[in-house]
Amino acid sequence: MKKILIVDDEPNIVMSLEYTFKKKNFEVFIARDGSEAIDIAESSIPDVILLDIMMPNVDGYETLKKIKDSTNLKHTKIVFLTAKNKATDIEKGLQLGADKYLTKPFSVKKLVLEINELLDKN
C-alpha cells in the first residue's frame, strides 16, 4: 500500500483529498503545517507528500528544504499543491526540488493521475 502525506491547513481540502486517496487504497497521513509534516514524514516515510506552500508556522518551501535534507526522506516524491500560481513561484518550487507543482483550484481526477504517474516512475 502506497503512503501519502497531505500537508494543508484548509480542512475542506484535507477532507476531500483524504477521502479520495483512501478510496484509491493509499495509506493517508495528515499534517496541518510544515513542522507537523516533518515529524509525521520522519516517522511514516511516505511515498509522496502533497504539500501546500502557504501555511502557518513553517511554510511549504521551508518544509521542502527540511525534507530534502533528511536522509530518510530522500526518495519521497514531493508535489506542491498551492494557490501560488505565478511563474516565479512555480520556478522556485521546482528549483527547491519539488517533483511536480500543481495549482489550486485543481481537478481531483487529474491530481490522482499525476500522483500515480509520479509513483509509477519508481
Side-chain angles (χ1 to χ4, degrees):
M1 182 181 276
K2 294 286 185 188
K3 296 180 191 177
I4 187 167
L5 171 57
I6 299 166
V7 188
D8 201 307
D9 61 331
E10 176 56 51
N12 292 338
I13 290 174
V14 171
M15 282 191 325
S16 168
L17 293 174
E18 180 180 23
Y19 174 78
T20 298
F21 283 102
K22 280 185 175 177
K23 262 184 36 184
K24 300 289 181 188
N25 294 319
F26 278 78
E27 186 176 353
V28 179
F29 300 89
I30 307 291
R32 308 278 180 212
D33 66 41
S35 53
E36 189 180 7
I38 300 297
D39 292 343
I40 293 170
E42 287 284 354
S43 63
S44 65
I45 315 294
D47 298 289
V48 65
I49 298 174
L50 204 49
L51 184 59
D52 190 14
I53 292 175
M54 297 179 290
M55 297 180 294
N57 304 323
V58 181
D59 72 11
Y61 294 133
E62 198 56 41
T63 304
L64 175 60
K65 287 178 193 170
K66 290 180 180 177
I67 290 166
K68 290 296 179 185
D69 287 343
S70 167
T71 52
N72 292 339
L73 300 172
K74 64 182 174 198
H75 298 296
T76 300
K77 301 293 183 190
I78 308 293
V79 177
F80 273 130
L81 182 62
T82 180
K84 291 177 81 67
N85 60 6
K86 290 185 184 150
T88 53
D89 297 320
I90 295 168
E91 191 176 313
K92 180 178 180 179
L94 295 173
Q95 281 180 343
L96 287 173
D99 296 283
K100 288 199 180 273
Y101 192 110
L102 306 172
T103 57
K104 298 174 184 174
F106 59 94
S107 151
V108 172
K109 190 175 183 177
K110 184 177 185 305
L111 175 64
V112 170
L113 285 172
E114 295 273 1
I115 299 284
N116 283 330
E117 181 183 289
L118 190 61
L119 293 175
D120 287 345
K121 287 182 183 176
N122 285 353

